[in-house]
Amino acid sequence: MHRMRHYVAVIGLIVGSTALFGSPAEANLIRTDPKLAFPDVLAAAINGRIEYDFDEATQRGVLTMTNTPWEIAGDETTSFPIEHAGGANKSQKLVLNLDASGNVVADPSNLYELYGRIVAGDQTFEGLLLQGTPTKFGWLDFGSPEAPIGLDMFDVEIDVTGGELARYFGDTAYMEFTPLLESTFEGAFNNDFTGLKPVSNIRSYNSPEPFPIPEPTTIVILLSGGAALLYHRHRRRIVS
């Protein structure tokens, strides 16, 4: 179940490293236990980046997160790859204005955008897949300078405003993301910080409509039945 592996791995690292180094994490997450929900977009990128730029004059900062979507899970067992769309690269971007305490500041530049191409059975979704406005922001700072990695986590609630997948996400979406390398976040929003290779999930907890999961084709059903028949015949020969 790849949809949970990122979250479980991150929490395991946090718990294990906290016990090892004796430095408790500081957190103000929106959801402390984000459970599995669908649809769920998994994204990561070698060149993905988190960047926060703080302006002393305005006492505000801008958080930007970019990475590359890889797949969308329609349910616990079925997922579909996200491909490049019509010559344009698949991409995911979050822009969020924050005050010096890490609270969301209403601003026209706040945005979430997901681009790509998904083929699910006989349905194709292409171009702007999901769009929205982030409204809430949370964070976790690992807080141990002795730790071998700077493991931090952020989460966001997003008001969905459009996109090909909007009807499957409903009015709101939840996103969590983690920089896997070189995070300089120290639990404060009155100074700059960065992080590399962010891994993220964005999922719906109030989906009004299930994501379209194609029915197995006739050939798949026949092959499955044939494999089962061969297996039972083989078992009968062994027993006899």
Side-chain angles (χ1 to χ4, degrees), residues 140-220:
L140 180 148
D141 171 37
F142 182 71
S144 175
E146 296 85 9
I149 54 175
L151 188 62
D152 302 308
M153 181 182 290
F154 307 93
D155 62 355
V156 182
E157 279 194 5
I158 298 169
D159 285 347
V160 175
T161 59
E164 293 279 295
L165 303 179
R167 62 180 176 173
Y168 305 112
F169 278 82
D171 294 335
T172 60
Y174 171 80
M175 182 181 192
E176 50 115 359
F177 56 99
T178 301
L180 297 184
L181 287 178
E182 300 181 21
S183 175
T184 61
F185 178 62
E186 296 180 345
F189 295 89
N190 58 357
N191 55 261
D192 299 350
F193 62 82
T194 58
L196 300 180
K197 295 188 180 180
V199 177
S200 68
N201 290 83
I202 180 165
R203 56 178 68 102
S204 172
Y205 285 96
N206 300 289
S207 177
E209 183 177 344
F211 192 78
I213 306 296
E215 295 293 331
T217 62
T218 302
I219 186 65
V220 170

Side-chain angles (χ1 to χ4, degrees), residues 58-140:
T58 62
Q59 289 292 295
R60 288 171 52 172
V62 179
L63 177 72
T64 304
M65 192 284 297
T66 57
N67 62 4
T68 303
W70 291 107
E71 61 183 0
I72 181 170
D75 60 20
E76 292 187 7
T77 60
T78 309
S79 62
F80 306 92
I82 299 178
E83 304 166 340
H84 297 301
N89 289 336
K90 57 186 178 179
S91 64
Q92 181 174 235
K93 183 176 184 178
L94 174 76
V95 178
L96 189 54
N97 285 260
L98 304 172
D99 65 20
S101 298
N103 301 308
V104 175
V105 176
D107 190 280
S109 65
N110 290 343
L111 66 85
Y112 170 79
E113 291 179 339
L114 174 69
Y115 286 90
R117 182 174 185 268
I118 299 167
V119 179
D122 59 354
Q123 296 197 50
T124 299
F125 309 94
E126 188 166 6
L128 179 59
L129 298 178
L130 196 64
Q131 183 178 50
T133 303
T135 57
K136 294 181 181 179
F137 175 75
W139 54 271
L140 180 148

